[in-house]
Amino acid sequence: MTSSALNLDELTVQRDRALRDYDALVQRGLSLDLTRGKPSARQLDLSDGMLALSGHTAADGTDCRNYGGLQGLPELRAIFSRLLQVPAGQLIAAGNSSLSLMHDSIVHALLAKLPGAERRWVDEPRIAFLCPVPGYDRHFSLCERFGIELISVPMTAEGPDMDVVERLVLEDAQIKGIWCVPKYSNPSGVSYSDETVRRLAAMPAAAPDFRIFWDNAYAVHHLTDTPVEIADILALCAESGNPDRAFVFGSTSKITFSGGGVSFFGSSPANVAWLLGHIGKGTIGPDKINHLRHAEFFRDEDGVVEHMRRHRELIQPKFDMVDTILTKELDGTGLASWSSPTGGYFISLDVLEGCARQVVSRAADAGIALTPAGATHPYGDDPRDSTIRIAPTYPDLEELELAIAGLATCVRLACTEKLLEQAQ
Ligand code: PMP
């Protein structure tokens, strides 16, 4: 992004116009929320059919109302196996949140030696995770909660900058993990290239218990007719002699119900046995009734793909609208650039350096709630103060139009004010 070469008079005119538009915006007394990537009620309605299903007998005759089946319903694991690129036998279907599986994986690694580990993570002098930025704030806060140090790594158009990742992982044995959202990443929409996945799987790591936290939250959330296919991390890790390196996570939170879906964990047989051994101390088995509801509702993999097509029909117009408004209001101004994702749930808006906090604060004062500036970076600190995450799925089109037009006004105001300040 290059700032437009406006002279002081022109800048003042632009700022005054933005200020007038902003005052009018505040007068409207809006109350709009673009903070989190939640499905809209209409998206949730798509899965209501699941609630009408009343069966309780699994394909192998198991009575799903009863205890047991720690690894999760086999027919549901079979449906999601290829979609998540995990052999069904190495896939666990669990409760409703993949984030809690990530949390529990870290807790168990702290308290019990991982396959290949020399000691428990809690016995290490220091633990660090690599965090490609911009990234997902809940990954970062989860690590912070356990005192795990966060090290930022820049994202490129092909995933994390692998030259940086390879160097850090090779030289620092205290780096135990890396957060990856490999497809339609939160928030940039970037998908990892085959070369990036291959290098992640094959790179030498100083820590014998280094793990890739492969959060494939948007595996089936396409916004085009040419779905992105990423390389198979588990297969590549195994081929490279690092069979235990990757933990794969996924869920139906943005497929069926965010509050009542199913989460998945996939990994090598050794890691799966390790995790099941620990999960089994805390539960006799997962909610198989919910697993069965999901399996009967989808029937097969194609059922999931078809269901996601319906989601796309509902959310694509929202992504298109954001792009149209931002283009109309900001294209060519040099004040901002933004991603045009081909899947996932977010648009990443980069405003002039040093302006993101002010944009978000101006928007809040105008009744438009955005994810806090900085949330896309470890410790909530975006050193360039530039990235803003837009979550367009939840509001209806009318509200979204108001919110994005309002946001564009805040961008024009905050950025022209900054430029004027610098020019004076
Ligand atoms: N991972 C990513 C990358 C996400 O964006 C989200 C939801 N915003 C989650 C995980 C949360 O997943 P779950 O609902 O399965 O806990």
Side-chain angles (χ1 to χ4, degrees):
M1 185 187 359
T2 52
S3 66
S4 48
L6 295 175
N7 66 34
L8 210 57
D9 288 347
E10 287 166 336
L11 259 179
T12 308
V13 169
Q14 301 261 351
R15 194 272 320 269
D16 290 348
R17 186 168 75 87
L19 197 53
R20 274 197 306 277
D21 292 347
Y22 182 72
D23 286 341
L25 180 70
V26 173
Q27 289 305 315
R28 299 189 70 159
L30 299 176
S31 175
L32 302 168
D33 189 345
L34 290 182
T35 51
R36 306 280 353 160
K38 291 197 292 191
S40 65
R42 287 187 67 199
Q43 286 178 266
L44 299 171
D45 291 345
L46 294 176
S47 302
D48 274 354
M50 211 169 62
L51 297 175
L53 298 171
S54 58
H56 51 71
T57 309
D60 65 359
T62 299
D63 185 339
C64 292
R65 296 170 302 181
N66 220 325
Y67 275 141
L70 192 60
Q71 195 169 344
L73 206 68
E75 51 264 50
L76 183 64
R77 291 189 280 113
I79 291 173
F80 278 89
S81 166
R82 252 172 37 96
L83 297 169
L84 291 171
Q85 297 170 299
V86 180
Q90 291 167 230
L91 193 60
I92 298 173
N96 75 310
S97 162
S98 62
L99 198 62
S100 71
L101 280 174
M102 298 173 218
H103 172 275
D104 290 355
S105 302
I106 289 182
V107 171
H108 294 311
L110 282 163
L111 298 178
K113 273 201 316 181
L114 278 164
E118 281 156 4
R119 58 185 81 84
R120 308 180 309 164
W121 285 4
V122 78
D123 296 324
E124 295 281 354
R126 164 184 154 253
I127 299 177
F129 266 48
L130 299 185
C131 305
V133 292
Y136 178 40
D137 53 351
R138 292 188 196 273
H139 288 161
F140 306 152
S141 51
L142 166 49
C143 279
E144 277 189 75
R145 188 240 173 284
F146 294 110
I148 298 174
E149 185 186 324
L150 305 173
I151 301 174
S152 295
V153 172
M155 280 288 270
T156 72
E158 300 197 14
D161 184 328
M162 284 309 298
D163 291 340
V164 177
V165 171
E166 281 170 346
R167 180 174 51 76
L168 291 172
V169 164
L170 183 63
E171 71 192 19
D172 186 350
Q174 299 315 123
I175 295 177
K176 299 292 187 187
I178 181 171
W179 288 110
C180 294
V181 182
K183 202 190 279 192
Y184 310 132
S185 178
N186 176 353
S188 63
V190 164
S191 296
Y192 289 19
S193 69
D194 291 354
E195 179 63 4
T196 298
V197 183
R198 194 196 58 73
R199 287 173 73 177
L200 281 165
M203 65 189 174
D209 49 351
F210 175 77
R211 291 293 185 276
I212 298 170
F213 280 63
W214 196 252
D215 180 0
N216 206 354
Y218 301 105
V220 292
H221 304 62
H222 316 294
L223 286 170
T224 74
D225 292 329
T226 47
V228 166
E229 303 252 2
I230 51 168
D232 182 336
I233 186 73
L234 287 184
L236 286 170
C237 284
E239 271 168 39
S240 314
N242 299 312
D244 299 330
R245 176 168 286 183
F247 283 171
V248 175
F249 300 93
S251 77
T252 69
S253 288
K254 286 158 186 171
I255 299 175
T256 55
F257 299 141
S258 307
V262 177
S263 62
F264 298 96
F265 171 93
S267 195
S268 65
N271 283 335
V272 169
W274 172 84
L275 189 61
L276 284 176
H278 298 300
I279 291 179
K281 302 294 183 294
T283 177
I284 305 169
D287 179 352
K288 293 187 300 303
I289 290 285
N290 198 31
H291 291 185
L292 186 63
R293 267 201 293 257
H294 278 74
E296 290 188 349
F297 182 63
F298 290 127
R299 292 173 192 277
D300 54 26
E301 189 183 308
D302 288 345
V304 179
V305 173
E306 170 55 21
H307 187 74
M308 293 315 290
R309 200 188 51 71
R310 295 200 194 103
H311 275 285
R312 178 181 161 195
E313 270 171 18
L314 293 175
I315 67 175
Q316 184 152 29
K318 298 183 180 181
F319 280 84
D320 290 347
M321 174 182 276
V322 174
D323 194 61
T324 304
I325 297 173
L326 293 180
T327 303
K328 176 165 161 267
E329 299 289 327
L330 299 172
D331 197 30
T333 63
L335 303 179
S337 60
W338 55 94
S339 59
S340 302
T342 57
Y345 255 59
F346 301 99
I347 293 166
S348 184
L349 173 69
D350 275 329
V351 297
L352 221 57
E353 193 163 337
C355 293
R357 277 177 207 282
Q358 183 63 4
V359 170
V360 172
S361 148
R362 286 287 196 183
D365 292 343
I368 303 167
L370 296 163
T371 313
T376 52
H377 287 64
Y379 308 111
D381 179 24
D382 171 4
R384 296 183 64 240
D385 187 23
S386 174
T387 304
I388 295 170
R389 185 181 83 164
I390 301 175
T393 54
Y394 187 71
D396 62 31
L397 273 173
E398 210 174 305
E399 285 174 340
L400 185 66
E401 185 172 11
L402 286 174
I404 301 300
L407 169 61
T409 299
C410 298
V411 172
R412 286 194 285 115
L413 180 57
C415 295
T416 50
E417 277 178 338
K418 181 80 172 181
L419 287 172
L420 267 179
E421 194 185 294
Q422 288 167 349
Q424 275 161 358

